[in-house]
Every structure is written in C-alpha cells, then in structure tokens.
Amino acid sequence: MTEQNPRPQLHLGVFFTGVGPQLIWADPQAPSHTAFETFTEIVQVLERGLFDAFFLGEGLRVRENRGKVFDLDVAGRPDAITQLSALAAVTERIGLVATQNTTYNYPADLARRLASLDLLSEGRAGWNIVTTDNAWTGANFRHGGWLEHERRYERAGQFVDAAKELWASWDPDAVAPEGRDAANWARPGSISPVERDSDLVALRATATVPGSRQGRPVLFQAGDSDGGRELAARHADVVFSANTEYGKAVAYAADLRDRLARHGRTPDSLRILPGASVVLGDTAAEAEEKARWVRGEQVNGPRAIAFLEQYWGTDLSAYDPDGPLPDIEPSESELDPSRGTISIERRSGKAALIRKWREQAAERGLSIRELVLEVSPGHSSFVGTPSAIADEWTRYVSTRAVDGFNLLPHLLPASVTDIVDKLVPELQERGVYRTAYTGTTLREHLDLPPVG
C-alpha cells in the first residue's frame, strides 16, 4: 500500500551532465558547451520555470577509449564551483549544485570552496557527493590509485562527517554585527578547530568561512547501490536514483525511508529525486516519434562503433555501423575498468557477453547500431503530451513514490524551454508545483528542515 501525501509538491532540478550520449551536442541547434552564455541562458530559463536547482556534473579526467581521448564526449567545461559562482551573480533564487568527488579531494579544502559558493549565493549552494574507485582517474592526483574499491564509501562517509563538522564550527553569532563597536571581529572561542585522525581522513583544520543563510550547503547523493543508499540515509538531504518506473520507485522509497529510521532520521528530512529525461509532443504519436529521434541521435554510428570497441579491444572503425557485428574475435584481455566508459556490471566476462550479443543479432537480424541501441545504457524517459506526463507525475508525488525529478535534457536549450513553457503550467494547474518561490535558499525551496 502506498503512502498518500496530503500536500503534494513536486521538486525539479536539471542535471547538466557534460559527458556521455545524453546531450546531443552535434545538433545545429545545440549551443557551445563551454561558453558562459550557454549556462546563463539555461539557468535563467530554469529560474523562470521556478526550478529548485541547476546541477553541474564534474569529471576529474577526460574519458578514454582504448587508451585515447574519447572524442565523442564534450570536454573543456570550466570547474563546477567556479562556473556556479559566476552563475550566482546572474540569478536570484535557483539552487546551484556542484558535483564534487570525495576520493580525490581534501575535506578542509573542498568544505571551504563549497562554503564560499554557499555564502556568495546567499544560501543557494548544494554538493552532489560522488566517489571514484579507479586508479586511472587517480593518476591525475598525488595519491593515484591508493583507495581500494570497497572503501570508497567508507572514506566518503568520513569525508562528509568532517565537512559537516567544519561547517558547524562557527557559532551563528560568531561575527560582530556591522556598525557595532566591538573589540573583536569574531567573538573569542566562537570558531572551533576540527580534528580527524583515521587512515582515510586525517586533518586538523579551522574553517575560514562562516555559515550562510541556510547554514551549510544542501547535500545530494546518488544512492542506488547498498553502499550508496547507506551513505544517503546517513548524510543526504536529497538523493538521486535510477528508479523512475512507478513500482520500483515505490520500493526504493520504502527501502530508503527504512534506512533513514535506522539512522534516527524522519522521512521529511530527505527528498527523493530520480534522474529522468522528458520528451514532449503535442500528441502521443509525435512524442514517440521525437523520442525515437532522440535515442537515434544519442547512439549514432560513431558512438555505436566506439561502444563495441570497448568490448572488442581493437579498432573497429572500418566496420559499417549499419552492417553486421564484427566478424573478428575480440582481444583476449579482459575489459579495462579504468577509462570511465564501461559500467561496473560489465567489467568482466566479456567473451560470454559478446557471444550473447552475436546470438541476439543473428536471431533478429540486428545491425551494430540496432544492437547497441538495445544493449547500451540509456536514461529513463517520460514520453508523451504535457498533460499526460503531468497526470503521471501527480500520481508519483501524491503517493510519495518520489518527491520530484532531476531532469537530464537531451537538447539545449529546446528541451528545458519546452518543459518550462509546456509542462510546468500543467503541473501548476494540478496544484503540485509552485507558482512562485516562497523562500530564498535551496533548503527552503526543497522544504527541508533547518540544519540542526
């Protein structure tokens, strides 16, 4: 039995990922992915649409395919915190969320930079907490591949604990009010040092930035694995998931709320925003046709060939993506787990996987591209008219299957403009989406309890 939400309100964010096939960067309508004007236009459209937050993905190394730069991905985007700090000056209300890695950052340094964004934006900052388990990314850093795979969430938990303690180390009244004749700028004893000493996080630091209007940055966490769910249940204010199908969303929400209770937290202390894409059409048939075009553009010929090259371990550029699968045998070496393009689930057993693909292609007469369209990871999509999707989302939020969605646009700025101009009014008509911002901070937008 699903739980009913007496005051359903849908929360929306947009996740500008930057890598992968989701964004169709080669379309003639697509803007530059490195120009500040692109980010300004998008975030201002979203603010007009009363979105809770704008998220930037972040990569610490350019992805590779067979040891070479994977040149089908966008690269060259500015650092997320730097970019969002600039966007704070051209926006007023929308939250600004930076993806930042706990594996290859240092707690005191990252806590300071995030607190700076939070202070400069007057309480609109968020931190999307991620981990990395491969030495390939670590090669860009002093410690390289020092962290074992199974310990990345353990370090993340200790890292976030340290960051939260640093953010709480300034008393709310530490700084003397402006214009007061005070002997000290900061009251003696009002800023406390923080110490940590484990094999994963060791520091002795004093925070250099006071808290913002919302106290500290809002914490986001992608929590689908068991370790991710536990980290989210302990620390997150907002959690992403891949569970957009209604039944899976209900089960995921129930599991996460059970974990919250075990950590002494209430269900209202966390918002669940699955990642999803939206394809709108004036009719259902038009939306379906557009969705087929989007998926086809996301998995074009070069991407289909590059996808198979990861598994064959050799150059397949001579093969026609609209022809049959390669007739050569793959290299004997197992999949390289470190280049950022292969999912964890497919890091071993490639010979069996390729046999399965060959049988599938032969049985159904699939070309390379047709097979890759079926077997490559995709993003869950809501496809339909604005009215139909608004009805579906109203059901989701009314039964607390989700608290909203973190949307992944496929074509900018068109896909976000469509959502703001066509879908948002339908949601407002159903009473499940705000008609104006009622607060100024990201925590207030998300209707989260104050920082304790």
Side-chain angles (χ1 to χ4, degrees), residues 21 63-66 70 72 295 298-314 316 321 325-326 335 341-343 346 350 353-354 357 368-378:
R63 298 202 304 172
E64 295 181 5
N65 180 28
R66 296 184 301 105
F70 188 65
L72 298 175
R295 183 63 174 151
Q298 291 171 340
V299 185
N300 57 24
R303 279 196 180 273
I305 293 295
F307 180 84
L308 288 194
E309 283 179 340
Q310 299 171 89
Y311 296 87
W312 259 257
T314 190
L316 300 177
L325 266 61
L335 295 177
T341 53
I342 297 172
S343 65
R346 290 179 170 173
K350 75 171 187 178
L353 187 63
I354 289 171
W357 287 348
I368 289 174
R369 190 159 173 260
E370 288 168 336
L371 175 80
V372 174
L373 277 166
E374 292 201 5
V375 303
S376 63

Side-chain angles (χ1 to χ4, degrees), residues 55-117:
F55 302 70
L56 282 182
E58 183 82 305
L60 296 179
R61 183 162 179 170
V62 176
R63 298 202 304 172
E64 295 181 5
N65 180 28
R66 296 184 301 105
K68 298 177 182 178
V69 170
F70 188 65
D71 55 12
L72 298 175
D73 273 353
V74 173
R77 284 199 350 200
D79 167 76
I81 293 178
T82 305
Q83 181 78 274
L84 293 172
S85 296
L87 290 173
V90 296
T91 55
E92 295 180 357
R93 297 293 185 91
I94 193 166
L96 304 165
V97 184
T99 300
Q100 296 290 302
N101 195 297
T102 60
T103 306
Y104 298 119
N105 275 298
Y106 292 94
D109 174 62
L110 182 55
R112 181 179 188 273
R113 290 188 286 121
L114 288 165
S116 298
L117 174 61

Side-chain angles (χ1 to χ4, degrees), residues 278-341:
V278 173
V279 181
L280 296 173
D282 291 336
T283 65
E286 180 185 309
E288 291 290 345
E289 183 180 353
K290 188 186 294 186
R292 286 190 292 272
W293 175 83
V294 168
R295 183 63 174 151
E297 290 296 306
Q298 291 171 340
V299 185
N300 57 24
R303 279 196 180 273
I305 293 295
F307 180 84
L308 288 194
E309 283 179 340
Q310 299 171 89
Y311 296 87
W312 259 257
T314 190
D315 181 3
L316 300 177
S317 59
Y319 285 84
D320 180 0
D322 293 315
L325 266 61
D327 52 4
I328 60 173
E329 291 305 308
S331 66
E332 293 184 2
S333 61
E334 262 304 345
L335 295 177
D336 184 345
S338 66
R339 297 301 190 238
T341 53

Side-chain angles (χ1 to χ4, degrees), residues 173-308:
D173 60 349
V175 180
E178 291 183 11
R180 193 180 78 179
D181 183 15
N184 303 92
W185 183 81
R187 181 169 50 80
S190 62
I191 305 172
S192 306
V194 173
E195 293 190 50
R196 295 273 164 164
D197 188 15
S198 77
D199 64 327
L200 293 178
V201 173
L203 60 88
R204 188 181 192 281
T206 302
T208 59
V209 180
S212 72
R213 289 184 183 181
Q214 66 176 355
R216 61 159 172 79
V218 175
L219 302 180
F220 295 74
Q221 160 69 16
D224 267 330
S225 68
D226 185 71
R229 293 185 191 206
E230 277 300 299
L231 182 63
R234 279 185 58 200
H235 289 296
D237 301 306
V238 182
V239 64
F240 304 149
S241 83
N243 298 288
T244 53
E245 188 275 323
Y246 183 77
K248 291 180 179 179
V250 169
Y252 177 84
D255 175 72
L256 199 58
R257 287 167 185 148
D258 283 345
R259 294 172 191 255
L260 284 173
R262 293 200 294 271
H263 288 282
R265 300 179 62 192
T266 66
D268 284 334
S269 66
L270 183 74
R271 297 286 170 262
I272 301 174
L273 274 63
S277 63
V278 173
V279 181
L280 296 173
D282 291 336
T283 65
E286 180 185 309
E288 291 290 345
E289 183 180 353
K290 188 186 294 186
R292 286 190 292 272
W293 175 83
V294 168
R295 183 63 174 151
E297 290 296 306
Q298 291 171 340
V299 185
N300 57 24
R303 279 196 180 273
I305 293 295
F307 180 84
L308 288 194

Side-chain angles (χ1 to χ4, degrees), residues 133-144:
D133 65 345
N134 63 63
W136 166 77
T137 297
N140 277 6
F141 299 87
R142 178 181 177 186
H143 287 291

